[in-house]
């Protein structure tokens, strides 16, 4: 039987790292077709299409400079062409864009396709919070697993050792994705509690924004640790983009949007947007007082609350007395 076609939907920093891994792993593996298509949002870089640069020089010069992608990874600017015939769909784009892309993909998704989401975010709709995997599952009618972990993209690209978790309600799919994505230095554990894995991956970005506020205000590690957890959360609170931009937000007084443009080279933050989605639900459920950290991050990012009041917001809640 022919191997399964793999399509990566997204080509930013993390998406390009995953393309590097997947491109190497499909070589010589009879379960997968050797050519991996990667959907790329087309951009002009010094007058050249980004897809042309990737396909000729095998490097994403904007989002993962200095790292060669395997020659069997083919950049495709048309989402319908990229997903045509693909049995394995890897979603790794900012969560703000997933709904529109799913609508474009739906008529072209192969029967029996399966997906995995590496997207750390939550969708807020009229009926409440919705996990991104559920959004994809409902839109495309495919089984969707998730991959979340303490994985700073450039460190994974540099083959520095790290661990990650795949949440798969279908164990066979979990093992297939492990085979596709694991390397000697990117070690994967598969569990069935995919919703828990995904929720932690999304909510920790809000905490990372709070950690950045602590750094910007000049507080010590003890203060930052008071609002952090373990593994993915700790890594994000010390090295991730949400923390870095939040620190600059305090030190420069520029808006989150301005700092995204200046510091992230076209990438989007997930923490502030996730805090807005979560806060909306907390208000609807009358639970704002039970989540002082999430609420404070939202109000500082979107309602003009003074960032110097960040820790005061946490201290004044009865749950912290």
């Amino acid at each position: 039987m022919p191997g399964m076609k793999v399509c990566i939907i997204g080509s930013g920093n993390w998406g390009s790292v995953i393309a590097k891994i997947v491109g190497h792993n499909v070589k010589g593996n009879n379960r997968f077709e050797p050519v991996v298509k990667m959907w790329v949002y087309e951009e002009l870089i010094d007058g050249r299409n980004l897809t042309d640069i990737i396909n000729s020089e095998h490097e994403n010069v904007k989002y993962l400079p200095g790292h060669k992608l395997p020659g069997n990874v083919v950049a495709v600017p048309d989402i319908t062409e990229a997903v045509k015939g693909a049995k394995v769909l890897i979603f790794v784009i900012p969560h703000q864009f997933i709904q529109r892309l799913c609508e474009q993909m739906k008529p072209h998704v192969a029967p029996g396709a399966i997906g995995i989401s590496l997207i750390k975010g939550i969708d807020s709709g009229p009926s409440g919070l919705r996990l991104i995997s559920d959004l994809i599952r409902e839109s495309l009618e495919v089984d969707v697993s998730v991959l979340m972990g303490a994985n700073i993209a450039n460190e994974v690209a540099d083959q520095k050792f790290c661990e990650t978790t795949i949440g798969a309600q279908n164990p066979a799919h979990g093992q297939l994705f492990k085979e596709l994505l694991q390397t000697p230095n990117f070690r994967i554990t598969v569990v069935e509690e995919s919703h828990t894995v995904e929720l932690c991956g999304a909510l920790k970005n809000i905490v990372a924004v709070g950690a950045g506020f602590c750094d910007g205000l000049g507080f010590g590690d003890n203060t930052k640790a008071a609002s952090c957890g373990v593994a993915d959360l700790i890594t994000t609170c010390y090295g991730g983009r949400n923390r870095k931009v939040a620190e600059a937000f305090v030190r420069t007084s520029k808006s989150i949007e301005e700092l995204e443009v200046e510091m992230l080279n076209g990438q989007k933050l997930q923490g502030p947007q996730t805090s807005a989605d979560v806060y909306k639900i907390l208000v609807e459920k009358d639970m704002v007082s039970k989540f002082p950290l999430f609420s404070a991050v939202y109000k500082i990012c979107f309602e003009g609350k003074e960032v110097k009041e960040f820790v005061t917001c946490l201290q004044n809640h009865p749950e912290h007395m």
Side-chain angles (χ1 to χ4, degrees):
M1 289 181 64
M4 303 170 75
K5 288 185 179 179
V6 179
C7 174
I8 300 169
I9 297 123
S11 58
N13 187 221
W14 189 213
S16 297
V17 174
I18 292 300
K20 182 179 179 182
I21 291 173
V22 170
H24 283 301
N25 281 357
V26 298
K27 292 177 182 178
N29 186 322
N30 293 333
R31 293 187 72 174
F32 305 105
E33 187 174 287
V35 174
V36 175
K37 290 188 177 177
M38 176 174 70
W39 175 73
V40 176
Y41 178 77
E42 192 69 280
E43 300 178 64
L44 285 177
I45 309 294
D46 296 328
R48 296 175 64 195
N49 286 338
L50 180 55
T51 52
D52 292 338
I53 296 172
I54 293 172
N55 289 332
S56 61
E57 299 172 20
H58 307 296
E59 180 182 353
N60 189 331
V61 294
K62 180 169 184 180
Y63 295 111
L64 193 64
H67 289 274
K68 287 295 181 183
L69 300 179
N72 58 322
V73 173
V74 178
V76 180
D78 183 342
I79 186 66
T80 60
E81 181 189 340
V83 303
K84 185 178 180 181
K87 291 287 189 175
V88 179
L89 306 171
I90 302 174
F91 296 88
V92 55
I93 56 172
H95 79 272
Q96 296 94 321
F97 308 131
I98 189 65
Q99 183 74 65
R100 177 176 58 83
L101 273 175
C102 282
E103 290 169 1
Q104 293 177 264
M105 291 168 57
K106 186 169 185 176
H108 308 277
V109 171
I114 61 173
I116 187 166
S117 172
L118 283 64
I119 301 169
K120 295 179 176 179
I122 298 174
D123 180 65
S124 63
S127 58
L129 289 181
R130 188 163 50 154
L131 296 173
I132 300 302
S133 64
D134 286 336
L135 188 158
I136 298 170
R137 190 177 291 111
E138 294 162 13
S139 297
L140 302 182
E141 298 177 10
V142 299
D143 182 69
V144 184
S145 304
V146 300
L147 181 148
M148 305 282 157
N151 311 136
I152 292 176
N154 282 26
E155 293 189 10
V156 178
D158 288 333
Q159 299 183 43
K160 295 179 180 177
F161 182 85
C162 64
E163 296 180 318
T164 198
T165 302
I166 286 177
Q169 295 173 357
N170 183 316
H173 294 169
Q175 291 304 316
L176 182 144
F177 285 120
K178 180 174 180 176
E179 183 178 338
L180 183 61
L181 292 162
Q182 183 166 260
T183 76
N185 288 309
F186 187 58
R187 306 304 295 173
I188 294 172
T189 301
V190 181
V191 301
E192 292 187 28
E193 297 81 9
S194 64
H195 286 168
T196 304
V197 171
E198 184 173 8
L199 196 58
C200 290
L203 296 179
K204 58 95 183 182
N205 278 328
I206 308 177
V207 185
V209 175
F213 291 161
C214 288
D215 290 340
L217 291 164
F219 297 152
D221 287 344
N222 284 344
T223 308
K224 183 157 66 169
S227 61
C228 296
V230 294
D232 191 9
L233 188 55
I234 290 175
T235 301
T236 306
C237 287
Y238 282 89
R241 71 183 72 155
N242 288 276
R243 186 218 61 79
K244 180 171 68 173
V245 173
E247 179 183 1
F249 175 82
V250 179
R251 297 188 187 279
T252 66
S253 300
K254 294 180 180 178
S255 71
I256 294 288
E257 291 79 10
E258 288 176 291
L259 292 167
E260 275 186 327
V261 172
E262 288 181 19
M263 299 175 66
L264 297 185
N265 194 31
Q267 298 176 90
K268 304 294 278 183
L269 282 188
Q270 298 302 295
Q273 182 58 50
T274 302
S275 78
D277 293 333
V278 169
Y279 187 76
K280 176 183 173 184
I281 304 303
L282 295 180
V283 171
E284 290 175 2
K285 304 292 185 182
D286 195 26
M287 296 177 68
V288 170
S289 66
K290 294 184 181 296
F291 293 88
L293 173 63
F294 292 173
S295 302
V297 168
Y298 165 76
K299 289 177 180 178
I300 290 167
C301 288
F302 294 101
E303 292 191 350
K305 180 174 279 291
E306 288 285 335
V307 73
K308 64 186 178 184
E309 296 179 29
F310 174 58
V311 172
T312 308
C313 292
L314 306 183
Q315 292 169 337
N316 289 341
H317 281 270
E319 288 81 0
H320 286 254
M321 296 301 188

